Amino acid sequence: MHKRAIYNQFVKIMSAGNRFGREIEFREGSPIQLLQYVEDNSENGFGKIVLNPVALNILQTIQEPLAIISVVGSYRRGKSWFANVLHGRHDGFDLGAKVEGCTRGIYMWSLPFMLESEQPDGKIIQKRVIVLDSEGIEVPKQDQNWATKLFILCLALSSTFIYNISGIIGKSNIGKLCLMTDLNKFIQEPEEGDFLPRLVILLRDFNLESPESFKDYFLEKLNDVSPEAVKGIKKFFDDFDVYGFPHPGCKRKMLQHMEDAVTDELDEDFVDEVENAVKSIYSQLSLKYIGSSTMKGSAFVKFLNDIVEHMNKSETSSLLSIPSEYESIIQFVAQEAIKEALGIYQEQMDHLLNEEVKLPILWDEFTEIHNNCISEANKIFFEKVIGSPTQMENFVEELNEEIFKFKGEFTKRNSDELTAYNENIAKDYWERYVKIGLNQETLFESNDEFQEALKAFELAYEKSMMKSPEGDKIIASYMQNQYPTAIEYMTQLGRMNAELVKVMKAKEEAETFRLEASAREEEFRRKIEAQKYEREENERNFKTKMEELQANIDQQNKSHEEMKERLIKERDIATEKYNQKLEQLHNEMLEQQRLNEEDKRKLLEQQQTNFEQIQRETEEANRKITEELKRAITLRERESH
């Protein structure tokens, strides 16, 4: 083996790849097939696109905004080699040296790499870059229906579309650029936002004198071949770049094995032009958008699946409705976001309530735990959800309804535990202070002793209970049930007279109502506070999301003002709709409170009437007793005389 080849092999082994060098960052990894075209030669059959689930699983996990570069074009023009250089290396995607071309279907680089970039507003964002190396166009014996589908598929998927063709532009080597004549036959664009990718044309082996503008040169020469294609490009692409690369300047043997190339042995002008093109592409690298939202891993996989499913329905390339595809993706991503947010909420609540703390807990502590968990759930949800403000408002409502159900389950668990805990406390003190005095052996000597026992029970319970509506309901239940039974027993034993029983019952009824009203008021207070927190939380998250969408609009080239106006309008509508729902709920709660207060007032009036009636009856009974005593005394005095 030649010394240079041995050295190159050594460098590849040591660096896990043949580095291009210069200022193009080296990316580790390897290619993996994303999809392939499987021919069907049966009588009525036609070829189908088949996706690789392993590649889809890799893409599915990407959480960052995506920038997707497709490298497309004529076979045997260095397309795959340039895809490698985008990763700072000569090797990676298979190059091959055969006439037919070696890439079949579409390959992607794994893992997609991170790229940090500064936005016009100075904000630094992290984007995940996916580079797709497609099968060459116009390969001998290539199914032309597949070639057209491949071209449209790459256009639909990409945020940057690199088309690699010969520097000598002729009718035979412009590939599928003729499809630019009327893309509306193949793709129905959304009304707003960027959909079609940024277009980059690479003119390979351009050995003529460099023109002042490769872009003008390209349009001029393409116009000679296909004026309609020029009109299509100008119509569908607001701006695009054209780069001309001279011949690499190496011998045929190296051209056949560019994966082993040494950058310093290539033509200096060629290397400079390639480096400048790569740096320029990355400096202008666009994200993939769905309206005003960025596309991330799960959305891209859904988009890819849907497009492939659509293309597999017919032999030829039929109209691809992007608005319909977008709506499907938005709904899909929203359901995924809701599902993940609910999972986070349930998992954290389960962990905190089963491991971090022991039920029962006071409601203020429960509310704090719930609020922390719902904040985490909302964070996940708003990071993932996409769509317009109106759509998001509906998704938020759906999420809140589902969280409310889960919260209800956790609330019931804590409520049941609080009830059980306070029941045990009440039972223990009742037996210790009251029940013991109702036994024949240790019977209360008087009503005063009985009253003191009840008071001791209430004080002990008040001190030991876990203060909550459940705790109030327990003592109220004792006053409704155990107290009357005990009073009746004391009356039967002659320890209490009928009038005193009436007074005690009226007193216990009033106290029972007070406790029940207190429990309702506490539950109402918690609902109001939960509603307030939910409102503030959603307003904060919604504001952050709107700022993100606004920034995304500013990054796009198309329909800025229209999109901004629509975003603001939909934001205001969504906010008003959300506030109306909250206001309605708030008014319903206030009405319930008003009814509770009205019932409370009526009952207090009734109790006051009862007290006055009992007082009158007691006074009348006392008067009769006094008269009876007077008559008895008078009679006794007469008898003594």
Side-chain angles (χ1 to χ4, degrees):
M1 185 180 293
H2 192 272
K3 289 183 179 180
R4 171 59 68 180
I6 295 174
Y7 172 77
N8 289 346
Q9 189 67 24
F10 173 75
V11 170
K12 282 183 66 176
I13 293 171
M14 294 302 292
S15 62
N18 185 8
R19 295 172 183 261
F20 184 86
R22 300 294 180 104
E23 295 183 16
I24 303 176
E25 186 171 349
F26 177 80
R27 309 289 180 180
E28 295 184 350
S30 60
I32 180 174
Q33 190 166 42
L34 176 61
L35 59 86
Q36 61 178 318
Y37 181 73
V38 179
E39 294 183 357
D40 183 350
N41 296 319
S42 60
E43 184 176 350
N44 297 316
F46 55 89
K48 299 292 193 299
I49 304 170
V50 179
L51 293 163
N52 179 6
V54 176
L56 297 184
N57 288 338
I58 293 171
L59 296 171
Q60 187 78 37
T61 61
I62 296 176
Q63 303 297 323
E64 299 82 17
L66 292 176
I68 304 157
I69 304 174
S70 285
V71 186
V72 185
S74 305
Y75 76 106
R76 286 287 155 260
R77 291 292 178 187
K79 169 183 55 63
S80 297
W81 178 83
F82 187 78
N84 288 333
V85 176
L86 289 171
H87 297 89
R89 53 200 297 157
H90 293 282
D91 61 348
F93 291 111
D94 194 10
L95 304 183
K98 296 180 181 179
V99 174
E100 295 82 10
C102 57
T103 305
R104 288 291 179 264
I106 297 177
Y107 279 75
M108 67 174 229
W109 193 259
S110 178
L111 295 170
F113 60 87
M114 293 290 291
L115 185 67
E116 187 179 87
S117 61
E118 183 176 351
Q119 304 289 78
D121 59 4
K123 182 180 179 182
I124 303 296
I125 66 165
Q126 298 284 343
K127 60 182 75 169
R128 185 74 69 167
V129 182
I130 301 173
V131 177
L132 304 178
D133 179 29
S134 75
E135 177 179 331
I137 302 293
E138 310 296 346
V139 175
K141 300 181 181 179
Q142 185 180 51
D143 183 332
Q144 288 306 301
N145 287 324
W146 160 234
T148 300
K149 287 182 178 180
L150 176 63
F151 184 88
I152 299 302
L153 179 61
C154 288
L155 268 180
L157 294 178
S158 308
S159 57
T160 297
F161 184 82
I162 300 176
Y163 201 72
N164 188 85
I165 60 173
S166 169
I168 307 300
I169 301 173
K171 199 164 190 177
S172 62
N173 57 15
I174 62 170
K176 289 295 178 180
L177 284 179
C178 58
L179 296 179
M180 299 291 191
T181 300
D182 193 359
L183 286 177
N184 289 332
K185 292 180 180 178
F186 303 98
I187 297 175
Q188 179 189 348
E189 285 190 84
E191 293 182 1
E192 295 179 343
D194 289 350
F195 169 69
L196 288 174
R198 180 175 182 79
L199 178 61
V200 176
I201 303 292
L202 301 183
L203 302 179
R204 303 303 296 269
D205 297 340
F206 188 85
N207 295 320
L208 303 175
E209 183 178 345
S210 296
E212 289 186 10
S213 168
F214 274 107
K215 182 176 180 179
D216 291 342
Y217 169 84
F218 166 74
L219 291 174
E220 178 186 343
K221 297 303 179 184
L222 182 60
N223 189 66
D224 293 339
V225 177
S226 176
E228 294 79 10
V230 172
K231 290 179 183 177
I233 289 174
K234 289 181 177 180
K235 175 183 176 182
F236 294 108
F237 298 92
D238 295 327
D239 189 23
F240 64 96
D241 293 317
V242 181
Y243 301 98
F245 297 163
H247 189 277
C250 56
K251 295 181 179 180
R252 179 182 298 179
K253 190 169 184 181
M254 181 176 286
L255 280 176
Q256 293 173 352
H257 298 282
M258 286 293 284
E259 69 273 12
D260 295 324
V262 178
T263 302
D264 291 342
E265 294 183 359
L266 299 176
D267 180 80
E268 185 67 22
D269 290 340
F270 171 77
V271 173
D272 287 344
E273 292 297 336
V274 169
E275 181 184 7
N276 290 336
V278 171
K279 290 163 69 174
S280 178
I281 288 168
Y282 280 136
S283 70
Q284 304 177 77
L285 193 60
S286 303
L287 293 173
K288 184 67 176 174
Y289 293 100
I290 303 177
S292 54
S293 299
T294 56
M295 187 177 284
K296 299 179 182 178
S298 61
F300 179 69
V301 170
K302 170 67 174 172
F303 189 43
L304 175 57
N305 270 310
D306 287 354
I307 292 176
V308 168
E309 182 180 350
H310 172 83
M311 287 185 165
N312 281 339
K313 289 179 180 178
S314 61
E315 182 175 4
T316 58
S317 188
S318 57
L319 181 65
L320 184 62
S321 174
I322 299 305
S324 298
E325 299 296 341
Y326 276 5
E327 181 61 30
S328 175
I329 295 168
I330 288 168
Q331 294 294 331
F332 172 80
V333 171
Q335 295 309 312
E336 289 289 302
I338 290 171
K339 181 180 178 181
E340 187 169 350
L342 287 175
I344 289 291
Y345 175 80
Q346 188 175 22
E347 180 183 337
Q348 292 197 2
M349 286 289 284
D350 266 328
H351 174 74
L352 290 170
L353 297 182
N354 291 333
E355 299 180 27
E356 295 288 323
V357 299
K358 181 174 173 57
L359 294 181
I361 57 176
L362 296 175
W363 285 116
D364 284 346
E365 184 180 359
F366 179 91
T367 298
E368 183 179 356
I369 290 173
H370 162 75
N371 288 346
N372 290 336
C373 292
I374 202 173
S375 292
E376 286 298 311
N378 281 332
K379 180 182 177 183
I380 292 294
F381 172 78
F382 278 98
E383 282 178 357
K384 291 182 174 298
V385 73
I386 60 176
S388 69
T390 304
Q391 289 172 315
M392 288 186 189
E393 191 273 335
N394 293 329
F395 299 145
V396 168
E397 184 178 352
E398 186 176 346
L399 173 64
N400 288 339
E401 288 176 356
E402 293 299 320
I403 284 183
F404 182 77
K405 293 176 185 177
F406 280 118
K407 182 188 178 184
E409 295 174 8
F410 290 115
T411 299
K412 185 177 185 305
R413 278 169 53 186
N414 192 49
S415 180
D416 290 346
E417 293 288 346
L418 279 169
T419 299
Y421 178 88
N422 287 317
E423 278 181 342
N424 289 334
I425 294 290
K427 182 180 179 182
D428 179 57
Y429 286 131
W430 180 262
E431 291 178 351
R432 187 184 306 180
Y433 291 107
V434 182
K435 190 174 181 179
I436 191 172
L438 299 176
N439 293 328
Q440 289 294 333
E441 297 82 3
T442 55
L443 195 64
F444 292 119
E445 293 293 331
S446 65
N447 173 60
D448 289 342
E449 188 178 356
F450 174 59
Q451 295 279 9
E452 288 176 3
L454 290 177
K455 186 175 181 180
F457 162 71
E458 292 171 10
L459 289 173
Y461 177 77
E462 177 70 21
K463 185 177 180 180
S464 301
M465 70 177 281
M466 292 189 76
K467 291 180 174 53
S468 59
E470 289 77 7
D472 289 341
K473 289 176 183 177
I474 293 298
I475 192 67
S477 173
Y478 267 75
M479 290 179 176
Q480 284 181 320
N481 300 296
Q482 281 84 347
Y483 276 42
T485 302
I487 291 170
E488 181 68 23
Y489 185 64
M490 290 291 290
T491 303
Q492 291 175 1
L493 295 176
R495 298 293 198 272
M496 297 179 69
N497 61 48
E499 300 306 323
L500 185 58
V501 169
K502 287 183 179 180
V503 172
M504 280 197 67
K505 284 185 176 181
K507 175 187 173 185
E508 302 309 336
E509 284 178 3
E511 183 63 13
T512 297
F513 176 79
R514 184 192 71 79
L515 290 168
E516 290 176 342
S518 174
R520 287 195 300 271
E521 288 170 1
E522 174 61 19
E523 290 172 344
F524 179 77
R525 180 190 68 82
R526 290 209 323 269
K527 288 180 180 178
I528 289 291
E529 288 184 353
Q531 186 189 78
K532 180 183 177 183
Y533 182 86
E534 177 188 326
R535 184 172 192 161
E536 292 174 350
E537 176 85 359
N538 280 329
E539 285 178 352
R540 184 170 58 254
N541 287 317
F542 209 71
K543 180 182 177 182
T544 301
K545 194 68 179 180
M546 291 306 102
E547 290 172 353
E548 175 192 319
L549 298 184
Q550 181 71 61
N552 290 339
I553 291 174
D554 291 338
Q555 292 301 306
Q556 299 185 56
N557 297 317
K558 183 179 176 183
S559 308
H560 273 194
E561 294 307 316
E562 293 89 339
M563 288 183 72
K564 285 180 182 178
E565 289 175 6
R566 183 181 178 86
L567 178 69
I568 292 170
K569 184 178 179 180
E570 288 207 14
R571 178 200 65 193
D572 292 343
I573 291 172
T575 301
E576 183 180 358
K577 184 179 176 183
Y578 179 73
N579 287 336
Q580 285 175 350
K581 289 178 181 177
L582 283 180
E583 191 67 26
Q584 180 183 352
L585 178 60
H586 185 69
N587 290 338
E588 289 174 357
M589 294 173 70
L590 289 177
E591 177 63 15
Q592 186 60 50
Q593 184 185 39
R594 188 189 66 78
L595 293 174
N596 289 340
E597 292 293 333
E598 182 69 16
D599 290 343
K600 182 178 179 180
R601 184 186 62 78
K602 290 179 180 178
L603 186 56
L604 287 173
E605 289 176 355
Q606 182 63 43
Q607 287 175 339
Q608 182 64 31
T609 301
N610 291 343
F611 274 127
E612 291 172 355
Q613 178 66 26
I614 291 170
Q615 188 175 20
R616 286 195 296 270
E617 291 175 355
T618 301
E619 289 173 354
E620 179 66 19
N622 289 337
R623 187 183 63 77
K624 289 180 180 180
I625 291 172
T626 300
E627 289 178 354
E628 288 292 331
L629 286 173
K630 285 181 179 179
R631 283 196 295 269
I633 291 171
T634 301
L635 182 61
R636 190 176 299 171
E637 288 176 348
R638 288 176 181 173
E639 289 176 351
S640 64
H641 291 297

